[in-house]
Amino acid sequence: METEDVTVREQLFHDRVRETIICVLLFICLYILSHFILTHFKKNAEFVTDDIEDATVNKIALWLCTFTLSVAVCAVLLLPISILSNEVLLTFPHSYYMQWLNGSLIRGLWNLVFLFSNLSLVFLMPFAYFFTESEGFAGSKKGIMARVYETAVMLLLLSLLVLGIVWVASALLHHHTARESLYDLWEYYLPYLYSGISLFGVLLLLLCTPFGLSRMFSVTGSLLVKPRLLENLEETMNCTVFEEASLSRKLKSNNTCWISANMEAINKEFLSVKSKRIALELRKRVSPWQRNLGYPVAMLMLLALTAVCVLMVCFHVLELLFDESAMPRGMEDPNLGLASFSMFGSLGAAVQVVIILYLMVSSVVGFYSSPLFTGLLPRAQDTTLTQIIGNCVSLLILSSALPVFSRTLGITRFDLLGDFGRYNWLGNFHIVFLYNMLFAGLTSACLINTVTWALQRELIRALGLHRLPLTVSRSTIPLKLLLANGLSKIH
């Protein structure tokens, strides 16, 4: 009997050590990746200065930002790793080499991401910001420790302010419960605060993701070579070369009085024509297959992913009306390897992973494309430390809300693990139902507007109507006129 107990304890010990090693290795890889990303965007002048104290403070703040960004990347990978792990265990149920991939490891990852994400949002990132802005209290000895003391005091005051706001909010919404749990910080107020942060992140995803899904078409189009309808590339190239040569002769003309009066306008036009000529040369060097097939295939893939996402959300809306189990909820034991989380098996699980990652990329694109957050857009070797802190906080809020966002929309049936399923608003049917309806409606409206406007713009450009002296809008050109002009141009 004692031998069996020893064997069980040894097995538990080895399992815990193995899970710890896997988590540490995964986090080290993500930390190195995050370090390279931040090093690419940081402003080197802030870290190479004559003031050694400022440089040290900035390096410490950068380490905290690297930690936060690595936690954000891990939060993005939570659901894909969980779904793929379940499919791997279904495919190889008795494989000796897959025994390390179990529910305990996945549950531990979820708990660690929840802990570190909230630790970064509540303590590390405010500490990094106050630490870079601090100078030490007046009259105190200057140095790193003086800044640490001032940062600690500011962080304490901020924590008291936030806890006071949370207590007031809970008292207004849940009067009797808040009075009974006045001193219950760990079991009541911190989960309540986490629930509010998660709700803010999910609402931010609701606003950014539909806009990002529509922006993905233009962003992808800027990275690829677009095919041009009814365009003779050689003729357009020759016209552009002649126009550039003509403007170049004007700039080199001996009529100095005429040149001085029109120099600025001619120079602008010359630069515009030159950039157009360079773009045409790039398009000419690209193979016809890539020019005529790559862009349509990429656009069709984006359109298919967006349409599948909207259809899944619409199907989930119907599920919410007739099936109570469709509501997002938490679970303690993931029970990996028993059944697939998709009705289409491994193929459906792969589609879920692709859509979850696609939604995350779209939300980031929509976030940086919105007028409120364009100032946070990082630039290579020219991003200040304050902007880096703001970017890390924003990305962490979006990524930590991604599992809740995906489960609320019904993208996956993998229920939330650990404290991710303890949010108060997840059990409210009206909030979940309204959220799904808003997402489906906003995404459909953005998609229809983007596709129709892109088609009409290409038709206007292909038929030469963009050369008209007056600004032509969609409403001033009937569709019959576009089609008639196109048919006559073809014949």
Side-chain angles (χ1 to χ4, degrees):
M1 192 69 179
E2 293 180 357
T3 305
E4 293 180 359
D5 293 339
V6 171
T7 304
V8 171
R9 288 200 299 269
E10 288 179 353
Q11 184 65 33
L12 292 175
F13 174 76
H14 291 309
D15 292 343
R16 183 60 58 87
V17 171
R18 182 179 63 243
E19 294 171 8
T20 304
I21 292 175
I22 293 173
C23 294
V24 170
L25 290 177
L26 176 61
F27 184 78
I28 289 175
C29 295
L30 295 179
Y31 189 90
I32 294 174
L33 175 64
S34 303
H35 175 74
F36 282 121
I37 293 174
L38 293 184
T39 303
H40 175 72
F41 287 105
K42 72 177 183 179
K43 195 173 185 178
N44 294 324
E46 294 185 344
F47 299 89
V48 184
T49 61
D50 296 333
D51 194 340
I52 300 178
E53 181 181 329
D54 287 340
T56 304
V57 169
N58 291 337
K59 288 180 181 178
I60 295 174
L62 185 66
W63 294 341
L64 297 178
C65 292
T66 307
F67 178 86
T68 302
L69 184 59
S70 58
V71 174
V73 176
C74 193
V76 173
L77 299 177
L78 267 183
L79 267 179
I81 288 177
S82 303
I83 296 172
L84 293 178
S85 300
N86 181 69
E87 298 303 320
V88 169
L89 292 177
L90 281 174
T91 307
F92 307 101
H94 304 294
S95 176
Y96 173 79
Y97 300 100
M98 293 299 170
Q99 291 183 1
W100 59 273
L101 197 60
N102 50 35
S104 178
L105 174 63
I106 301 301
R107 184 172 60 251
L109 283 175
W110 281 71
N111 291 331
L112 288 175
V113 169
F114 181 85
L115 174 63
F116 289 148
S117 62
N118 289 286
L119 179 66
S120 299
L121 285 176
V122 178
F123 293 106
L124 297 185
M125 286 295 94
F127 181 86
Y129 177 76
F130 291 139
F131 195 40
T132 55
E133 299 293 330
S134 64
E135 297 180 356
F137 292 110
S140 62
K141 185 179 179 180
K142 299 299 181 181
I144 299 293
M145 292 308 300
R147 292 191 172 193
V148 172
Y149 295 148
E150 181 184 354
T151 303
V153 173
M154 294 296 296
L155 192 59
L156 177 61
L157 294 177
L158 178 64
S159 302
L160 293 176
L161 177 63
V162 172
L163 288 177
I165 294 174
V166 172
W167 185 84
V168 172
S170 62
L172 292 176
L173 297 176
H174 310 284
H175 178 68
H176 299 290
T177 307
R179 179 176 295 181
E180 294 174 357
S181 58
L182 180 61
Y183 303 103
D184 197 357
L185 177 66
W186 187 262
E187 292 294 333
Y188 182 77
Y189 287 106
L190 285 182
Y192 199 86
L193 176 62
Y194 300 156
S195 180
I197 295 175
S198 174
L199 180 60
F200 173 76
V202 172
L203 291 177
L204 188 61
L205 284 173
L206 176 63
L207 297 177
C208 295
T209 307
F211 181 55
L213 289 173
S214 62
R215 284 283 299 164
M216 284 293 290
F217 292 90
S218 58
V219 171
T220 306
S222 64
L223 300 176
L224 300 174
V225 177
K226 296 182 181 180
R228 299 295 186 183
L229 298 174
L230 307 178
E231 180 190 43
N232 190 335
L233 188 59
E234 291 290 341
E235 181 182 351
T236 307
M237 183 70 184
N238 293 333
C239 293
T240 306
V241 170
F242 291 150
E243 187 177 358
E244 183 182 5
S246 175
L247 292 173
S248 178
R249 286 194 299 270
K250 287 182 180 180
L251 290 175
K252 297 177 181 178
S253 174
N254 294 325
N255 191 350
T256 56
C257 297
W258 184 81
I259 286 294
S260 61
N262 300 274
M263 175 66 76
E264 185 177 356
I266 295 177
N267 192 28
K268 287 183 178 179
E269 187 176 359
F270 175 75
L271 293 177
S272 175
V273 173
K274 185 177 180 180
S275 62
K276 180 180 178 182
R277 192 253 309 164
I278 293 174
L280 288 172
E281 288 179 351
L282 292 176
R283 294 188 63 233
K284 188 177 180 180
R285 285 198 295 265
V286 173
S287 64
W289 285 100
Q290 183 178 353
R291 184 171 60 245
N292 298 320
L293 189 62
Y295 181 82
V297 169
M299 292 297 107
L300 288 176
M301 288 181 62
L302 293 178
L303 184 62
L305 287 174
T306 308
V308 169
C309 180
V310 174
L311 290 176
M312 292 176 71
V313 175
C314 294
F315 180 74
H316 186 245
V317 169
L318 296 177
E319 280 188 322
L320 290 172
L321 294 175
F322 301 103
D323 188 3
E324 187 178 355
S325 63
M327 288 286 294
R329 62 182 186 274
M331 62 176 174
E332 294 298 328
D333 189 4
N335 293 324
L336 297 180
L338 297 180
S340 178
F341 293 104
S342 173
M343 64 178 64
F344 299 103
S346 299
L347 179 61
V351 172
Q352 289 180 2
V353 171
V354 172
I355 289 179
I356 290 171
L357 297 177
Y358 175 60
L359 288 177
M360 184 62 201
V361 175
S362 301
S363 65
V364 173
V365 171
F367 177 81
Y368 285 117
S369 301
S370 61
L372 295 177
F373 304 106
T374 50
L376 284 176
L377 184 65
R379 296 179 296 274
Q381 305 299 324
D382 194 30
T383 307
T384 63
L385 189 57
T386 305
Q387 287 180 314
I388 289 177
I389 294 174
N391 279 279
C392 291
V393 171
S394 303
L395 292 176
L396 183 58
I397 291 176
L398 293 175
S399 60
S400 60
L402 181 65
V404 184
F405 174 74
S406 303
R407 183 63 185 92
T408 304
L409 293 179
I411 303 299
T412 178
R413 297 301 297 267
F414 189 91
D415 285 316
L416 305 172
L417 290 174
D419 291 325
F420 279 93
R422 294 178 58 190
Y423 298 135
N424 298 330
W425 55 272
L426 284 176
N428 193 315
F429 171 80
H430 301 285
I431 293 178
V432 174
F433 183 79
L434 180 62
Y435 189 89
N436 281 263
M437 292 294 294
L438 286 175
F439 180 83
L442 290 175
T443 305
S444 301
C446 292
L447 184 63
I448 292 172
N449 180 69
T450 301
V451 173
T452 55
W453 174 228
L455 289 176
Q456 291 194 23
R457 185 172 62 247
E458 288 298 321
L459 284 175
I460 290 173
R461 191 213 58 79
L463 301 178
L465 298 177
H466 64 291
R467 300 190 184 93
L468 294 177
L470 298 178
T471 302
V472 181
S473 62
R474 289 185 291 175
S475 59
T476 59
I477 303 178
L479 183 60
K480 293 181 179 179
L481 178 60
L482 288 175
L483 296 177
N485 196 0
L487 291 175
S488 62
K489 199 167 186 177
I490 293 174
H491 292 301

